[in-house]
Amino acid sequence: MWHDLLTTGVPYGEKALRTVLVYAAIVFLLRAVGRRDLAQLNTLDLVVMLLLSNVVQNAVIGQDDSLAGGLFGAAVLLAANSAVVHAASRFQRVRQLLEGHPLVLVEDGRPRRRTIARLGLRTSDVRAAVRRQGGDDVSESSLVTLEPGGTLLVKLKAADQSADKADIDELRAALRRIERRLDAAGTDGP
């Protein structure tokens, strides 16, 4: 039993190469398909991701179903991912190659319908992102971008932004100034 668990059917060098090549291919394919799939998984996307892991399993482990072979493959996969993440955090060119750059979906309140469609998004997704940021309509946004990680980032036009803590503090200070002027003028009311 121990022999079957610990004896690999594929040489470790081949297993390492298989794992790294499959990892690189999956990163490339996911990058080519689009970032929406990574950040906003819906039910269909989740099914694809689960099936994808099953489809590439044999490409990673080959004809080896030993415990040692599986653990070695997992270790190589984690090491490869760690190296890529480290390189992306240190080198901007690597990060841009892997993640890309923000894509403009709405500019000055006007949706870029071709870009939205090309990315597989719906205009309703963009409208929902604007509403989550406090806007009532896409026309109230000065810029909406799809960030490399898949997040929809909304910048509302200045006139359409909700009040924040600084605005409220400023209003309170103005109210205190008015109250002091009224008190100084001797008006306490009727």
Side-chain angles (χ1 to χ4, degrees):
M1 173 176 96
W2 288 107
H3 181 268
D4 291 340
L5 286 174
L6 301 176
T7 304
T8 64
V10 176
Y12 284 111
E14 179 183 336
K15 185 174 289 300
L17 182 61
R18 285 171 167 268
T19 302
V20 169
L21 290 175
V22 169
Y23 175 80
I26 295 297
V27 166
F28 172 77
L29 289 171
L30 289 175
R31 174 75 173 91
V33 168
R35 56 191 88 176
R36 182 186 72 84
D37 293 334
L38 302 177
Q40 301 172 1
L41 288 178
N42 62 32
T43 304
L44 297 176
D45 296 330
L46 179 61
V47 169
V48 168
M49 295 301 274
L50 291 172
L51 290 174
L52 182 62
S53 66
N54 193 41
V55 166
V56 299
Q57 176 184 356
N58 287 338
V60 171
I61 64 171
Q63 298 302 316
D64 183 8
D65 60 356
S66 69
L67 177 64
L71 293 175
F72 178 77
V76 169
L77 182 60
L78 291 172
N81 187 61
S82 179
V84 169
V85 168
H86 182 70
S89 69
R90 289 195 65 208
F91 304 106
Q92 184 173 352
R93 282 187 65 71
V94 174
R95 184 172 43 255
Q96 285 181 335
L97 177 68
L98 292 172
E99 297 176 355
H101 55 281
L103 298 172
V104 176
L105 304 179
V106 177
E107 191 169 23
D108 294 326
R110 292 185 303 276
R112 292 185 176 179
R113 298 191 190 290
R114 282 181 154 172
T115 304
I116 292 169
R118 181 176 51 86
L119 292 169
L121 293 171
R122 300 176 309 237
T123 53
S124 62
D125 295 329
V126 177
R127 282 194 303 271
V130 170
R131 282 193 302 274
R132 277 193 301 275
Q133 293 297 316
D136 293 322
D137 187 65
V138 172
S139 64
E140 295 180 356
S141 61
S142 62
L143 188 67
V144 177
T145 57
L146 179 62
E147 296 298 307
T151 303
L152 288 173
L153 186 64
V154 176
K155 182 177 181 188
L156 296 175
K157 294 177 182 174
D160 295 310
Q161 291 182 10
S162 301
D164 61 9
K165 185 176 182 330
D167 295 330
I168 293 169
D169 289 344
E170 189 176 319
L171 286 172
R172 285 182 180 147
L175 182 58
R176 283 192 297 273
R177 285 191 301 272
I178 292 170
E179 287 172 343
R180 280 195 299 269
R181 285 184 191 154
L182 289 173
D183 287 343
T187 28
D188 291 337

